Amino acid sequence: MNISIIGSGYVGLVTGACLAELGNKVICVDNDTRKIVNLKKGIIPIYEPGLEELIKNNLKKKRLVFTSGLKDAVSKSEIIFITVGTPSLENGEADLTGIEHVARNIAKNMKGYRLIVEKSTVPVETGVWVKQTISAYIGKNIKFDVASNPEFLREGQAINDFMSPDRIVIGVESKKAKDLLVNLYAPLNAPMVITDVKSAELIKHASNSFLATKISFINAVAQVCDKVGADVSKVAQGMGLDKRIGKAFLNAGLGYGGSCFPKDVDAFIAISEKLGIEFDLLKSVRQVNSLQRALFLEKIKQELWLLKGKTIGILGLAFKPNTDDIRSAASIDIISALQKEGAKIRAYDPKAMNKAKLIFKGVTFCKDAYDVSKGCDCLLIVTEWDEFQELNLLRIKKLLKRRIIIDGRNIYDPKKMREFGFVYIGIGKAG
């Protein structure tokens, strides 16, 4: 099929590369001309395992094209995916300015039938507004459909998530739109949920908000474990073996971050309030998530007393492993709080260093975990990268000024760490 992807950010690049890999002709559009120039050369602006190879392969096979010209993309494509950003406004609502702008420009450049698909995460009823916008700017007697096809891509595992999805959600209003999207995704041989546009839009916000709820629930349980001396990992294991609950997203730690969960929880709360519904459960989820980082800071203070003049090492800056994304990362809140207290920060992340340097001021960025540890009063585990689980702990112990490790992701066994001679503090691991 001939497809356009409007917006070459995280979702757009992964979607475009994967659809091209399935044999489609894909045009990826972005108004950032520098990004487009780099993408044409195979230079990728984000880190996602396997994405660079996928893009280069499909560029070579001429199934994938990058351009800043929306007009040409619209003219050559029957299916047009909108994958522009929908950042949070101050009140928590999603900023749909980009969606409206793209919808208007698609309409002005349409000469025949097109299926316009919302791929970005948008509030329920956005499809109605997209349809109205296109109708207002489109030429006479040109037919079109608007559909919702939300993405469920986890950073660090996005290509596998696209190629082997749990489900594909398709929200449509016509048989033609349904048939186009069903045929497009048929090669993936995945379960499909065919529904109306509004239900499809809600599925994405409901899914992410529920997963955020699981994370905040186990973090609240971890607070109880800290008070009574229980082990939250064992509690989570016992819960997760219940098939009705499942083990995913029951890892206690510093809470959720990234570009999706914080934004989607805020947006779902705002959507509900607009409808006159007080979604107090989600407000509590958000509150628990924020509290986890404050409690982590308290753990540091309990070990170091005064933070002014202390040197603290940070391992992990990305919001999760296998990505360079630091949006809403725990590291931002933690480093900011420590610096306000007068602490000196040494930090390292395998992939997020370049992006972190644009945000953090006064931080000493180091070449690896061992370099971070030199002369530190305390070492913090903030992102659970595999390489941190394989460190030479005896070497780390010799490099630290004080042998204190506070593990915000519970990647180590407390008993073994204490046998190594560390003062070891986890989350919900007081025993």
Side-chain angles (χ1 to χ4, degrees):
M1 295 185 178
N2 293 311
I3 297 164
S4 286
I5 310 288
I6 313 300
S8 296
Y10 188 91
V11 174
L13 284 176
V14 173
T15 300
C18 289
L19 287 174
E21 185 69 12
L22 293 176
N24 301 289
K25 294 181 179 178
V26 180
I27 302 173
C28 286
V29 183
D30 201 279
N31 59 9
D32 185 336
T33 53
R34 177 179 287 184
K35 180 193 287 185
I36 292 298
V37 168
N38 286 333
L39 285 167
K40 286 179 177 180
K41 299 175 183 177
I43 301 170
I44 316 303
I46 59 173
Y47 173 74
E48 176 63 35
L51 181 60
E52 183 176 349
E53 294 80 2
L54 207 61
I55 287 175
K56 286 181 176 179
N57 180 52
N58 283 284
L59 279 171
K60 188 177 180 181
K61 293 181 178 179
K62 301 187 184 304
R63 291 193 297 234
L64 184 60
V65 174
F66 293 102
T67 181
S68 55
L70 184 142
K71 181 178 180 179
D72 189 48
V74 171
S75 70
K76 293 180 179 178
S77 308
E78 186 170 23
I79 303 176
I80 303 168
F81 286 92
I82 300 177
T83 61
V84 296
T86 55
S88 291
L89 296 169
E90 285 187 13
N91 64 357
E93 292 183 24
D95 184 350
L96 301 178
T97 308
I99 299 282
E100 183 191 33
H101 177 76
V102 168
R104 188 167 62 245
N105 281 287
I106 289 171
K108 289 178 178 178
N109 290 288
M110 281 170 54
K111 304 301 181 186
Y113 175 85
R114 296 293 182 268
L115 171 58
I116 296 93
V117 186
E118 302 172 337
K119 194 74 171 171
S120 303
T121 300
V122 295
V124 63
E125 299 187 323
T126 299
V128 175
W129 287 104
V130 169
K131 188 174 182 179
Q132 288 182 10
T133 300
I134 293 173
S135 297
Y137 290 91
I138 201 172
K140 291 182 179 180
N141 302 318
I142 297 177
K143 296 184 180 297
F144 70 95
D145 279 306
V146 173
S148 175
N149 172 223
E151 53 86 15
F152 300 96
L153 305 176
R154 295 169 295 172
E155 295 189 40
Q157 303 177 65
I159 292 172
N160 182 65
D161 286 345
F162 190 99
M163 293 300 193
S164 302
D166 294 329
R167 80 291 201 195
I168 296 168
V169 176
I170 295 172
V172 289
E173 295 179 329
S174 74
K175 184 178 184 300
K176 184 170 186 177
K178 172 189 168 183
D179 290 344
L180 278 170
L181 289 174
V182 167
N183 289 335
L184 176 65
Y185 287 116
L188 298 179
N189 195 29
M192 293 193 188
V193 178
I194 312 295
T195 185
D196 60 279
V197 173
K198 292 178 183 177
S199 296
E201 290 169 336
L202 271 172
I203 286 169
K204 177 58 187 288
H205 271 129
S207 296
N208 277 1
S209 295
F210 184 77
L211 295 175
T213 301
K214 285 188 76 173
I215 294 169
S216 283
F217 180 86
I218 199 63
N219 279 330
V221 171
Q223 293 173 31
V224 177
C225 290
D226 272 335
K227 295 291 186 183
V228 302
D231 185 341
V232 72
S233 299
K234 294 300 181 183
V235 175
Q237 182 183 15
M239 291 172 59
L241 289 172
D242 187 325
K243 293 178 182 178
R244 298 169 299 174
I245 298 174
K247 64 181 181 179
F249 294 87
L250 284 181
N251 296 317
L254 296 172
Y256 57 79
S259 62
C260 293
F261 284 6
K263 177 171 70 73
D264 292 351
V265 169
D266 287 347
F268 207 9
I269 291 171
I271 291 164
S272 302
E273 288 179 341
K274 261 192 169 182
L275 299 170
I277 300 165
E278 291 296 327
F279 212 145
D280 291 335
L281 174 61
L282 284 187
K283 291 177 183 177
S284 295
V285 166
R286 183 171 61 187
Q287 184 180 17
V288 169
N289 197 63
S290 178
L291 182 61
Q292 279 303 107
R293 295 170 189 187
L295 290 173
F296 190 67
L297 186 65
E298 287 305 311
K299 288 176 181 286
I300 301 167
K301 288 181 178 180
Q302 285 171 14
E303 295 304 320
L304 297 183
W305 190 23
L306 301 177
L307 301 182
K308 187 176 182 179
K310 301 287 171 53
T311 301
I312 298 176
I314 307 283
L315 294 186
L317 298 166
F319 87 93
K320 63 181 286 189
N322 296 317
T323 181
D324 61 351
D325 194 346
I326 59 174
R327 287 175 288 181
S328 296
S331 61
I332 296 175
D333 292 337
I334 292 165
I335 291 174
S336 297
L338 291 172
Q339 287 183 322
K340 283 181 182 177
E341 297 273 352
K344 301 173 184 177
I345 306 297
R346 298 174 64 82
Y348 166 73
D349 187 282
K351 295 295 179 181
M353 298 282 272
N354 289 336
K355 290 185 176 179
K357 288 174 183 177
L358 299 175
I359 291 181
F360 298 117
K361 305 302 179 186
V363 172
T364 300
F365 292 97
C366 303
K367 63 181 181 181
D368 57 26
Y370 303 105
D371 190 21
V372 167
S373 301
K374 292 176 182 176
C376 281
D377 294 281
C378 178
L379 188 64
L380 309 182
I381 311 297
V382 178
T383 312
E384 63 274 32
W385 286 91
D386 285 346
E387 70 175 72
F388 298 155
Q389 299 177 50
E390 299 165 0
L391 294 175
N392 182 333
L393 293 173
L394 291 176
R395 183 178 173 190
I396 293 288
K397 188 167 71 170
K398 292 176 182 178
L399 290 167
L400 291 171
K401 184 191 295 184
R402 298 173 66 182
R403 297 166 181 177
I404 302 172
I405 293 181
I406 303 180
D407 186 353
R409 299 298 180 182
N410 289 342
I411 67 174
Y412 297 125
D413 178 86
K415 185 179 178 182
K416 290 182 179 177
M417 294 300 288
R418 288 161 191 155
E419 288 175 354
F420 266 118
F422 289 101
V423 174
Y424 176 80
I425 310 295
I427 305 291
K429 295 265 193 177

